[in-house]
Amino acid sequence: SMPSEAWDRNEANLEREMGDGPLYINRPWRWPTVSATMYVGMTRELDAAMGELRLNGAFPDPMWTDEDTTNLLWQRYHLWRWQQRNPALPLERLRTIVEFGGGYGAMCIVASRLGFRGSYYITDLPQMERLQDLHLPGRDLHCKVRHGSIRKPDLLISLFGLGETPVDERDAWIGDKDPRGFLFSFLGEYDHVDNTKWFTRWAQRQFERNGTLWTLEHGSKNTSHNYLTSHRGWIAHGR
């Protein structure tokens, strides 16, 4: 949730764009508001990320070429960062994923194509949840999409959403969460908040609570964001 004037404007625009009919619902990445706030085009950053995937034999892959957009490629890369750290944990083995801030559902699409068959929970603004409800049924998903969240998901994901939410609201949301694994991407500082400190402090508390190991890393070349990923720890602890 981002109770800023800019986002109030975005919500009003989304509301309007959503009314523009079924053809539009199939291609939300073409909506002005979506492309302005959550869609990353083919940039130098994405080029570097794709180069990294290629080097590691994870790409190219025909699964991501069906949108006239590069959004799925980015989600694929973000998820790959977690998979790199958790090679013994195929998505088929996960039963629950919670994502904070899901856009039109791109990460859910990627997870489904990579073998996730469980329940995928998305916590989002009401307008975004409506967009997901309208768009995702047409995407041939093999997992169940739900709204809201659960306390102990197998994987907790937030790609920039949590790091752009006011601190008191993110504290309130994440306070009771005890995920078995997590993947976060965020800008080191956002709106005068030291995100690196906030995320690593949370991860350290998780480690003290249940032994989940974590790593803070930079994004690929040319990017200014960080990744915080859990790894391996929770298997050893018999969770």
Side-chain angles (χ1 to χ4, degrees):
S1 63
M2 288 161 278
S4 64
E5 265 173 60
W7 193 253
D8 287 344
R9 236 186 352 266
N10 288 337
E11 284 184 309
N13 292 340
L14 267 177
E15 208 53 54
R16 206 180 49 248
E17 289 162 5
M18 238 176 271
D20 283 345
L23 241 175
Y24 225 36
I25 283 299
N26 297 339
R27 298 196 176 82
W29 51 88
R30 289 187 180 173
W31 299 11
T33 308
V34 172
S35 60
T37 57
M38 59 200 75
Y39 160 65
V40 185
M42 191 46 120
T43 55
R44 278 187 348 204
E45 286 95 334
L46 187 57
D47 270 350
M50 292 307 104
E52 211 178 316
L53 284 180
R54 240 174 245 117
L55 267 177
N56 288 276
F59 187 78
D61 184 323
M63 279 202 262
W64 321 116
T65 56
D66 59 335
E67 294 194 359
D68 54 344
T69 167
T70 48
N71 210 28
L72 292 185
L73 289 176
W74 258 123
Q75 310 302 315
R76 174 71 193 100
Y77 177 75
H78 296 319
L79 191 57
W80 175 78
R81 297 289 299 237
W82 181 79
Q83 289 176 303
Q84 284 282 91
R85 295 252 158 223
N86 298 273
L89 213 53
L91 290 180
E92 292 91 343
R93 277 188 49 202
L94 305 187
R95 291 184 307 276
T96 50
I97 295 178
V98 167
E99 183 179 12
F100 181 96
Y104 61 81
M107 179 56 94
C108 181
I109 294 163
V110 168
S112 167
R113 291 186 189 179
L114 290 173
F116 178 67
R117 298 291 176 265
S119 294
Y120 196 106
Y121 293 83
I122 304 177
T123 297
D124 221 320
L125 297 161
Q127 280 81 357
M128 296 315 298
E129 292 185 353
R130 249 186 74 213
L131 167 54
Q132 292 146 16
D133 290 343
L134 291 167
H135 179 70
L136 290 173
R139 293 310 295 259
D140 189 28
L141 296 179
H142 303 290
C143 57
K144 287 187 198 67
V145 182
R146 303 173 188 280
H147 293 306
S149 76
I150 54 173
R151 207 171 79 74
K152 281 193 172 206
D154 288 332
L155 180 59
L156 173 61
I157 299 176
S158 184
L159 306 168
F160 302 104
L162 208 51
E164 295 178 2
T165 298
V167 171
D168 52 346
E169 290 179 36
R170 47 173 118 158
D171 282 342
W173 186 80
I174 210 166
D176 71 327
K177 301 288 177 291
D178 185 16
R180 293 177 164 169
F182 47 85
L183 163 65
F184 298 120
S185 63
F186 54 90
L187 293 170
E189 184 176 306
Y190 182 85
D191 203 18
H192 311 300
V193 174
D194 182 342
N195 269 338
T196 306
K197 190 191 235 170
W198 188 88
F199 279 99
T200 52
R201 196 178 274 167
W202 177 83
Q204 191 53 28
R205 281 201 304 272
Q206 281 301 105
F207 171 71
E208 286 157 15
R209 187 183 204 175
N210 54 42
T212 305
L213 305 174
W214 56 274
T215 303
L216 175 72
E217 298 170 299
H218 285 301
S220 60
K221 264 199 332 240
N222 302 329
T223 58
S224 51
H225 62 266
N226 299 315
Y227 288 97
L228 182 78
T229 27
S230 62
H231 51 97
R232 290 187 307 278
W234 64 275
I235 299 172
H237 285 256
R239 299 183 71 212

